[in-house]
Amino acid sequence: MARRVAVIGAGVSGLSSIKCCLDEDLEPTCFERSNDIGGLWKFTETSKDGMTRVYRSLVTNVCKEMSCYSDFPFQEDYPNYMNQGKFWDYLQEFVEHFDLLKYIRFRTTVCSVTKRPDFSETGQWDVVTETEGKRDRGVFDAVMVCTGHFLNPHLPLESFPGIHKFKGQILHSQEYKSPEGFQGKRVLVIGLGNTGGDVAVELSRTAAQVLLSTRTGAWVIHRCSNGGYPYNMVITRRYLNFMAQVLPSCVLNWIQERQMNKRLNHENYGLSITKGRKPKFIVNDELPICILCGTVTMKTSVKEFTETSAVFEDGTVEENLDVVIFTTGYTFSFPFLEEPLKSLCTKKIFLYKQVFPSNLERATLAIIGLISLKGSILSGTELQARWATRVFKGLCKIPPSPKLMAEATKKEQLIERGVMKDISKDKLEYITYMDDIAACIGTKPSVPFLFLKDPRLAWEVFFGPCTPYQYRLKGPGKWDGARNAILTQWDRTLKPLKTRIIPDSTKPGSMSHYLKVWGVPILLASLLLICKSSLFLKLVQEFPLTSIW
């Protein structure tokens, strides 16, 4: 059984990994190459150390109730969406509350992680580190790699003919910190992701003109949903996830497109998804307004550059450009690992449930946080860490390495032959993935059982937001405060908004009236659906849709 665990990185996933080790009575040692916690959430004025950091104006895309550690809610007066400074404060509070700081070795770089000669029997690793020029070697029973997605800037200059002729400034978004220095300049931002949208909007306030180039387009989501509630809390619900599994994809796509265009006609704004491309979503409240006001101009993909201009695929030309900013993402790597493990870990298809490398005869190394979720990454990485530490202890089992390698290799071959689509780079469905990992641990909530035991809680779990507290209701790591956290989640959501109370204001009672009238029938119908869902899904799979049409 593992005892000593090396945790590489003290960012969001590294901090949860330290705590999960302590929860399982393991002995973690965390190695962090910077001088503080938080990883990319620790803002710095420059990126000279080569580490990716957030830009000053960044605001979280997932609201606080959906993106907190499952047994450590945000303070009720924290805003629902917060800037990087406020979020870093939360991480600091988490570290202090669980006394994690003493397990972290700062300014320490991991040089190598290699199997010991007796690895097949012990599963142990040799970990070589360097602190201020001094090297050290340690033996660990397990390793948790928490270095994340955002390691190396992806700068695809070779895909842009003439870029080396361009005389203006070229930079990657990793280097962007604030709009200072861009006053009065004509700026081209390449890439429409969350970062591209944020950078374009912020620069539009100071630059002479901002051009935003995209190959694919994107659906633009607002943080504020109908009624003013946080978007994540409205859409991330179990009953909606259940409906998504039952309804045909064509129906879901039709509903989705209708909803997205109801608030904003994406085609009119130059944002619609290019035909044949996968749907892509970004969170941005101001981009449509900037396009409407003309401070941001949408453009197609760049065909080529000249010394001072860019020629686009639609034949248009933009002259006198001063700056080109690539918001083209990052690549990840594991330079401290040995081959073939190093290469294999970069292929998500060879990571069992996105965590365990398939080629290890002993499951004593876990990749934490290398996931893309349609929801909170923090919550996902915490559940991964909870599962990994129990696998290390032998309390949870995973299939043997030969079986995992055979399955992954077969999938890879089918993808290469075009028989199967490669979905390893797609964002995973949040509730589906979380439930999958929780089932491995034994912490997945049983909705039918809850309806019988605690109907009020069951109603919130099934029809309300799927907040991280749901995975602390039962099983290993059960938290006594989970039920109350779920029942009071809306109180914490509304608390920071109610800074101006009007004593004579009247509250509409229509919703409570409808709940009283229809609550019991809906509850019973939902319980019946849940109990019958497996049979229904089986029938759907066996009965081809073509026979309906």
Side-chain angles (χ1 to χ4, degrees), residues 264-315:
L264 171 71
N265 188 312
H266 284 65
E267 184 176 356
N268 290 345
Y269 282 71
L271 293 166
S272 56
I273 304 291
T274 305
K275 190 175 181 179
R277 296 281 187 173
K278 293 180 180 179
K280 177 181 177 182
F281 298 84
I282 68 168
V283 179
N284 200 298
D285 304 300
E286 300 178 66
L287 181 58
I289 303 301
C290 291
I291 297 172
L292 196 63
C293 296
T295 55
V296 172
T297 301
M298 296 302 302
K299 303 294 294 184
T300 59
S301 56
V302 177
K303 183 178 181 181
E304 64 176 329
F305 283 94
T306 68
E307 292 183 349
T308 59
S309 63
V311 181
F312 296 89
E313 292 290 349
D314 59 3

Side-chain angles (χ1 to χ4, degrees), residues 231-290:
Y231 179 80
N232 314 105
M233 296 186 74
V234 173
I235 66 157
T236 312
R237 305 189 177 205
R238 289 187 177 276
Y239 84 94
L240 293 176
N241 187 63
F242 170 74
M243 291 172 61
Q245 294 179 36
V246 173
L247 293 175
S249 58
C250 59
V251 176
L252 290 174
N253 292 336
W254 179 79
I255 295 173
Q256 176 181 279
E257 184 173 341
R258 191 174 170 84
Q259 287 295 321
M260 290 290 105
N261 281 322
K262 186 176 181 180
R263 186 167 190 170
L264 171 71
N265 188 312
H266 284 65
E267 184 176 356
N268 290 345
Y269 282 71
L271 293 166
S272 56
I273 304 291
T274 305
K275 190 175 181 179
R277 296 281 187 173
K278 293 180 180 179
K280 177 181 177 182
F281 298 84
I282 68 168
V283 179
N284 200 298
D285 304 300
E286 300 178 66
L287 181 58
I289 303 301
C290 291

Side-chain angles (χ1 to χ4, degrees), residues 167-427:
K167 292 184 177 180
Q169 183 181 6
I170 300 173
L171 64 152
H172 188 273
S173 55
Q174 184 195 49
E175 303 171 66
Y176 179 83
K177 298 297 178 180
S178 70
E180 297 170 5
F182 295 90
Q183 291 86 347
K185 295 185 177 181
R186 286 174 55 81
V187 182
L188 171 61
V189 179
I190 296 179
L192 180 56
N194 285 316
T195 301
D198 284 350
V199 171
V201 166
E202 184 169 47
L203 287 178
S204 71
R205 303 186 185 105
T206 57
Q209 180 63 50
V210 175
L211 309 166
L212 180 53
S213 169
T214 175
R215 291 181 302 168
T216 62
W219 295 116
V220 179
I221 297 170
H222 297 258
R223 291 178 176 85
C224 186
S225 186
N226 296 335
Y229 298 108
Y231 179 80
N232 314 105
M233 296 186 74
V234 173
I235 66 157
T236 312
R237 305 189 177 205
R238 289 187 177 276
Y239 84 94
L240 293 176
N241 187 63
F242 170 74
M243 291 172 61
Q245 294 179 36
V246 173
L247 293 175
S249 58
C250 59
V251 176
L252 290 174
N253 292 336
W254 179 79
I255 295 173
Q256 176 181 279
E257 184 173 341
R258 191 174 170 84
Q259 287 295 321
M260 290 290 105
N261 281 322
K262 186 176 181 180
R263 186 167 190 170
L264 171 71
N265 188 312
H266 284 65
E267 184 176 356
N268 290 345
Y269 282 71
L271 293 166
S272 56
I273 304 291
T274 305
K275 190 175 181 179
R277 296 281 187 173
K278 293 180 180 179
K280 177 181 177 182
F281 298 84
I282 68 168
V283 179
N284 200 298
D285 304 300
E286 300 178 66
L287 181 58
I289 303 301
C290 291
I291 297 172
L292 196 63
C293 296
T295 55
V296 172
T297 301
M298 296 302 302
K299 303 294 294 184
T300 59
S301 56
V302 177
K303 183 178 181 181
E304 64 176 329
F305 283 94
T306 68
E307 292 183 349
T308 59
S309 63
V311 181
F312 296 89
E313 292 290 349
D314 59 3
T316 59
V317 180
E318 291 291 342
E319 304 280 358
N320 302 318
L321 296 177
D322 299 298
V323 184
V324 176
I325 301 177
F326 285 87
T327 61
T328 43
Y330 296 82
T331 59
F332 55 87
S333 60
F334 307 98
F336 42 80
L337 295 179
E338 58 186 340
E339 293 291 1
L341 182 60
K342 180 195 292 188
S343 298
L344 185 136
C345 286
T346 61
K347 300 178 181 180
K348 292 185 179 181
I349 197 172
F350 283 95
L351 293 178
Y352 180 60
K353 297 189 186 297
Q354 312 279 311
V355 177
F356 290 101
S358 302
N359 67 333
L360 295 178
E361 58 267 44
R362 294 276 183 174
T364 56
L365 184 141
I367 309 295
I368 307 297
L370 194 65
I371 49 171
S372 294
L373 284 179
K374 295 180 181 179
S376 169
I377 299 298
L378 182 150
S379 303
T381 59
E382 182 194 27
L383 207 54
Q384 286 182 331
R386 290 174 65 186
W387 178 43
T389 51
R390 293 188 65 77
V391 171
F392 294 160
K393 287 190 69 175
L395 301 175
C396 292
K397 304 294 183 182
I398 68 171
S401 173
K403 181 180 179 181
L404 295 179
M405 281 298 294
E407 291 175 351
T409 302
K410 183 178 180 180
K411 286 182 181 179
E412 187 179 45
Q413 292 171 349
L414 291 174
I415 291 171
E416 290 175 351
R417 288 159 48 191
V419 178
M420 178 185 292
K421 289 184 178 180
D422 183 6
I423 60 172
S424 62
K425 295 181 181 179
D426 294 352
K427 285 194 173 184

Side-chain angles (χ1 to χ4, degrees), residues 56-112:
R56 189 192 299 276
S57 62
L58 185 137
V59 176
T60 55
N61 290 334
V62 183
C63 65
K64 65 177 182 180
E65 289 300 308
M66 301 297 297
S67 189
C68 63
Y69 292 112
S70 57
D71 56 354
F72 192 72
F74 280 90
Q75 296 180 33
E76 63 176 11
D77 59 345
Y78 269 46
N80 286 283
Y81 296 98
M82 58 201 76
N83 60 32
Q84 53 83 23
K86 201 72 174 175
F87 187 83
W88 188 85
D89 289 342
Y90 169 72
L91 297 180
Q92 186 71 31
E93 292 167 6
F94 178 77
V95 168
E96 292 176 357
H97 181 80
F98 293 105
D99 196 20
L100 306 182
L101 202 61
K102 61 186 179 184
Y103 300 98
I104 305 173
R105 296 183 186 177
F106 293 108
R107 297 187 180 88
T108 301
T109 301
V110 175
C111 303
S112 66

